[in-house]
Amino acid sequence: MHHGGDRTTAPPVSPASSAASVSGTSACTDTDEGFDEDWADSHPLYARPSGVQRMVLPVPPVPPPIYNTVTATPQRPVYPLAAARRGQSVVSDLPEPDDLDSSANDSDLRARRRRAAANAPVTGSSIPAKAALSANTVDDASTAATDGNGHGGATASTLSLSAGLEAGSQRNKDSVLHYFVATQESEASLDRYLTRIISSFLEAPAPVHAGTVESVHVVQERFSRHVVPHSTDVGTSLEEYLQRVKANVIDRATRVASPKQIGHMTTALPYFHRPLAKLLTAMNQNVVKLETASTTTYLERETLAMMHHEFYGRVCTRSFYAHYMHAFDTALGVFTSGGTIANITALWAARNRALPACAASEAGGAFAGVDKEGLFRGLTVYGYKGAVVLASRMAHYSFKKAVDLLGFGDDGLCLVDVDERYRIRLDALQEAIAKYQKMEYLIVAIIGIAGTTETGSIDDLNGLASIARKHRIHFHVDAAWGGPLMFSREHCGKLDGIEKADTITVDGHKQLYTPMGLGLLLFANPTTARSIRKTANYIIRKDSADLGQFTLEGSRPASSLHLHAVLHLLGRDGIESLVTRSVTLVRQMQNRLDGHPSRGFQTLHVPDSNILLYRYIPRGFLRDKVAAWAPLTESEDEAISEATRRIQMWQSAVSETAAREREGTVPAAENGGGGSVRAGWRGFVSRTRVQVTRERDGEGQTVRRWVDAFRVVLANPLTTWEDIESVMQEQLEIGEAVENAIATEQRRVFGGGKVGANSRGGSDINSTSSGGVGASFTGEEGTRMWVGWPFEI
């Protein structure tokens, strides 16, 4: 900018902002009408001088260390803190996400210098020294300054502050209020920057990052701050904060949306959830009470009605929903933060219904109910010596939390045995009922599972419902995982009997494709909600429509909007296609593993839904035995488990360090072995430990044995058959290295010979006839030619 032939280096701002700065007006100021300027001048949040402020800043002997490796220019500053303090948009001037410095730690010397520079007083300045020093990074050379009228001034680095520094301005960047009243430009710039980061996170090729080969101490060091910083400290500007978050959190975060991440119940989400999340944040509704959620309260009740109809629509009429959908004193269900709170709420209601208020009894006096007088008094009044919940051995761990919180203790959860398909045995359940009735225990609830967490198995819900009804016991179904099968005409029959449940848990953030933190509990009888109803005088009053009357949690976001959107935008048919595809994909994977040319895998069950357990079988005679269905000894099962464990650890942790990328090997000390394997794994499966039934060789008897297994969860709509094949291929290649590592470490051989040799003396690794690894890559049964994959969406 030229004035009278003198050249001045302006602060690094956008052209529009620069013009406003020179003219002495703010580019983004608020009106002062009705504002008490005297009060504002004395208030710590508002007090700032008005008008154009000019300061001559001496060039510091030591530039701020955080910037001393970068040469900034007026057109594109690297760390434009001064502009940020003036209320101007600077996020668009941030470096591209991939260019951000990933260094999270500075030396003590650099930190001390930065502190000293930030705290140094600036003569005649009313702004923090940190902002002044930041502005001075534009040019360390002396320049010709201008005064407020545009004429030439002193020779020095010049800082011109105008936008947002008017007294009382809510967009003053040196007050905390600027974060509450953002300019449209600054928020749009931040959105553009975060959009680039999100796109890179979701789309750029990267490891799944489900594990790491870094030392836990290295990871902890990145998150070692224990003192809350001041807003004027170095590193607390928006751009510096985002830089640190990106380097330490985002870049290393687990890619749960990766199509090769097939090990857990997290998946890719529909794109519309991201803007909806921003909308919910802006609205910031609290659905605990109608006064802070005047419309979302009714949207939540509508969403509950739609989900209730999916499960109970066969037994509930249209008039039922017309009456109960918006009834103030009842609820069709409640939203929760997930399946754990939903299951706890279900047992809470079951307990309170089992021990209600009653008149005088033999124990003496009237009883006001377990919710008023407690569990001990309730059991005494009704003549019980204890309380218990009956569930399958595959029940979710949330039930352990529930019995603890409700006063039953860990022994108050009886885990009933399961069959070979990991479904509860009805005969064992009836034996347990008879046992506890004889002990004079209150059986609070019987739990049925529609999609166990480990295996995806579905209990005989009709059989469980009949038993529960016979003994007048509360019947709860945990359908957190398998509940959405109700949307599939092909698979909804697997949930027959669920409509007879008193309560049902469903998770939206699993197979209904909502963001994390969304679960719900449905009540067959809306009056069940009254058993857990709590009110107060200032909110959730008895005559109000406040949903907080019936929820264990208090303040809650209006997350129901996410599920409401899924039900409308994906629609019933869209959800059906996704669920049906996932189950079909798992069945195809089971068939592929059972008939794999390498004979290197063994499945452990027939999947009911879209979760599958299988194991890696080491080369040699073990593959021969498994292929022939011959009984395995305990040591042989343990050898298979050891190989499976190591493969899962390797596959989830590699591609994390420069050493691996350089050498193409897995560090033996951190991953359980060495061996040369291909760098750049990107697949991930989880691992669990389950019991299997084994026959004793030659004795005709069966035994139960614990084994380790891969756990595959297929729910990501972006996962293709090629992704699944590549994961299996990786496991075969890693398996070879694992076998070599185990042999080297323990001098133990698989198959009675040298590692890599089959029982006929040939090498397994390249022999297609022996089912070696090579067969799965170069055999005639290529993945694209495999018969039995007709399903397409």
Side-chain angles (χ1 to χ4, degrees), residues 50-319:
S50 61
V52 177
Q53 302 299 313
R54 299 219 148 267
M55 282 164 285
V56 177
L57 303 179
V59 177
V62 179
I66 195 170
Y67 307 124
N68 65 0
T69 61
V70 180
T71 302
T73 64
Q75 291 77 21
R76 186 175 176 79
V78 178
Y79 295 106
L81 293 180
R85 304 293 182 197
R86 291 194 299 275
Q88 298 164 4
S89 172
V90 298
V91 179
S92 59
D93 289 328
L94 283 165
E96 293 292 328
D98 291 338
D99 298 332
L100 291 178
D101 182 10
S102 61
S103 175
N105 301 313
D106 295 306
S107 67
D108 292 339
L109 178 60
R110 290 166 62 88
R112 286 197 298 270
R113 287 180 177 177
R114 186 186 302 115
R115 290 281 183 181
N119 295 327
V122 180
T123 304
S125 172
S126 61
I127 68 169
K130 171 186 174 183
L133 290 173
S134 300
N136 196 42
T137 61
V138 173
D139 194 349
D140 287 341
S142 297
T143 58
T146 61
D147 61 21
N149 296 320
H151 302 299
T155 300
S157 296
T158 303
L159 175 64
S160 175
L161 296 181
S162 62
L165 286 186
E166 293 72 16
S169 171
Q170 289 183 319
R171 294 195 175 97
N172 189 323
K173 297 297 283 189
D174 282 330
S175 79
V176 297
L177 294 186
H178 75 275
Y179 284 120
F180 292 83
V181 189
T183 66
Q184 184 175 8
E185 180 187 359
S186 63
E187 193 164 354
S189 299
L190 179 59
D191 283 344
R192 288 193 295 269
Y193 177 71
L194 292 180
T195 297
R196 294 197 300 268
I197 293 180
I198 292 170
S199 297
S200 176
F201 180 82
L202 294 177
E203 299 170 8
V208 173
H209 288 293
T212 178
V213 296
E214 287 183 308
S215 165
V216 65
H217 302 293
V218 173
V219 179
Q220 291 172 349
E221 184 62 26
R222 301 190 190 108
F223 305 95
S224 57
R225 170 174 283 174
H226 64 280
V227 177
V228 178
H230 290 280
S231 63
T232 55
D233 287 350
V234 170
T236 59
S237 68
L238 182 58
E239 61 268 32
E240 289 172 318
Y241 176 74
L242 290 177
Q243 173 193 357
R244 182 174 181 177
V245 168
K246 182 184 182 300
N248 295 338
V249 179
I250 300 173
D251 288 348
R252 296 176 171 90
T254 304
R255 267 54 174 180
V256 296
S258 169
K260 293 185 180 180
Q261 198 286 91
I262 56 175
H264 285 300
M265 296 175 173
T266 46
T267 177
L269 297 177
Y271 76 88
F272 54 75
H273 285 306
R274 294 193 288 277
L276 282 180
K278 180 180 178 181
L279 177 62
L280 286 176
T281 301
M283 294 172 64
N284 198 29
Q285 304 289 283
N286 181 2
V287 289
V288 69
K289 54 186 176 292
L290 188 67
E291 293 170 351
T292 54
S294 58
T295 55
T296 52
T297 293
Y298 297 104
L299 180 140
E300 185 162 305
R301 284 182 173 270
E302 180 182 65
T303 309
L304 285 167
M306 288 189 284
M307 290 299 297
H308 191 281
H309 182 266
E310 282 300 318
F311 292 90
Y312 293 110
R314 285 182 283 182
V315 295
C316 295
T317 63
R318 179 176 299 180
S319 60

